Amino acid sequence: MTLTIALAKGRTTAQVLPLLSAAGIDCTALQEKSRRLLFTDDPDFHFVLVKAPDVLTYLNRGTVDIGIVGSDILEEQGHQQFDLLDLRTGRCRFILASTPDFDPHQTSRKRIATKYPHIAQRYFQDQGEDVEMIKIEGSVELAPLTGMADAIVDITETGTTLRENHLKVFATLTPVSTHLVVNRLALKQKKTAIYQLIQALKRVRPQEV
Ligand code: PRP
């Protein structure tokens, strides 16, 4: 029985491939630096490499059985599938950041730039604050530097991007890590294979922090 897995391209894949290999899956072709997107050589595991925000689209349509993606995306998009395993890789966190002169208590309505408008909205709602959301696709750190926004809600992993752009963290929101999510129907039809994979990954994933 073949399991088809959608992997979020980039950092997620780079950090998850050693785990999949340790769990006994041959990832040689995926580890090669190339522009290839579809990997069907292994009869047991097929892989597709997609942009992180598209993982749930493939999963919801039943095109793949399993999605491997950051909890940032799962939280932002919301979903009806089964989030079955925290792989404990790709660990980072949501933060509210800005230039050091930002006043979190400013009286005017804040302009917040983010790739995650739902998560940012929820955070400010919990604070009882109404803010203006500016949705952008990347290089979020630029928004306060150029004066387009008062602050950003984004993820930080090493802190390098914030540091190199002289931004300060004003609040830490939720932690993020890579998760394994399973299509509801696939879980019924391919239960044994899916649970075998999950058990193997549980044995090799990093320790809880
Ligand atoms: C993410 C995030 C930050 C950066 C943080 O962006 O939006 O910009 O990584 O990582 P660091 O703390 O290790 O520096 P990504 O690299 O995905 O690129 P993007 O800005 O084009 O979305």
Side-chain angles (χ1 to χ4, degrees), residues 11 115 137-141 154-161:
R11 284 193 225 201
K115 287 187 273 190
E137 300 299 331
S139 304
V140 186
E141 292 81 2
D154 197 16
I155 47 173
T156 178
E157 185 184 4
T158 61
T160 311
T161 314

Side-chain angles (χ1 to χ4, degrees), residues 177-190:
S177 58
T178 303
H179 283 227
L180 183 142
V181 192
V182 180
N183 174 277
R184 297 180 87 91
L185 189 64
L187 191 62
K188 276 193 194 152
Q189 294 171 338
K190 303 183 177 180

Side-chain angles (χ1 to χ4, degrees), residues 115-127:
K115 287 187 273 190
Y116 304 92
H118 291 111
I119 287 165
Q121 194 68 260
R122 229 173 295 146
Y123 168 72
F124 282 102
Q125 248 164 30
D126 290 348
Q127 308 288 310

Side-chain angles (χ1 to χ4, degrees), residues 78-168:
H79 64 95
Q80 305 289 314
Q81 310 299 343
F82 293 117
D83 182 352
L84 290 188
L85 187 67
D86 179 357
L87 290 168
R88 299 178 185 156
T89 59
R91 283 172 175 147
C92 51
R93 59 203 174 279
F94 276 105
I95 42 97
L96 170 70
S98 188
T99 47
D101 62 352
F102 169 65
D103 174 11
H105 306 295
Q106 73 180 51
T107 45
S108 57
R109 189 173 179 232
K110 288 184 189 117
R111 298 161 302 156
I112 303 297
T114 186
K115 287 187 273 190
Y116 304 92
H118 291 111
I119 287 165
Q121 194 68 260
R122 229 173 295 146
Y123 168 72
F124 282 102
Q125 248 164 30
D126 290 348
Q127 308 288 310
E129 245 193 286
D130 171 49
V131 299
E132 180 189 346
M133 212 51 79
I134 305 171
K135 165 85 162 67
I136 47 181
E137 300 299 331
S139 304
V140 186
E141 292 81 2
L142 254 182
L145 294 175
T146 54
M148 183 169 79
D150 296 307
I152 60 172
V153 168
D154 197 16
I155 47 173
T156 178
E157 185 184 4
T158 61
T160 311
T161 314
L162 291 173
R163 219 169 21 251
E164 292 191 357
N165 291 288
H166 311 292
L167 296 180
K168 186 179 152 188

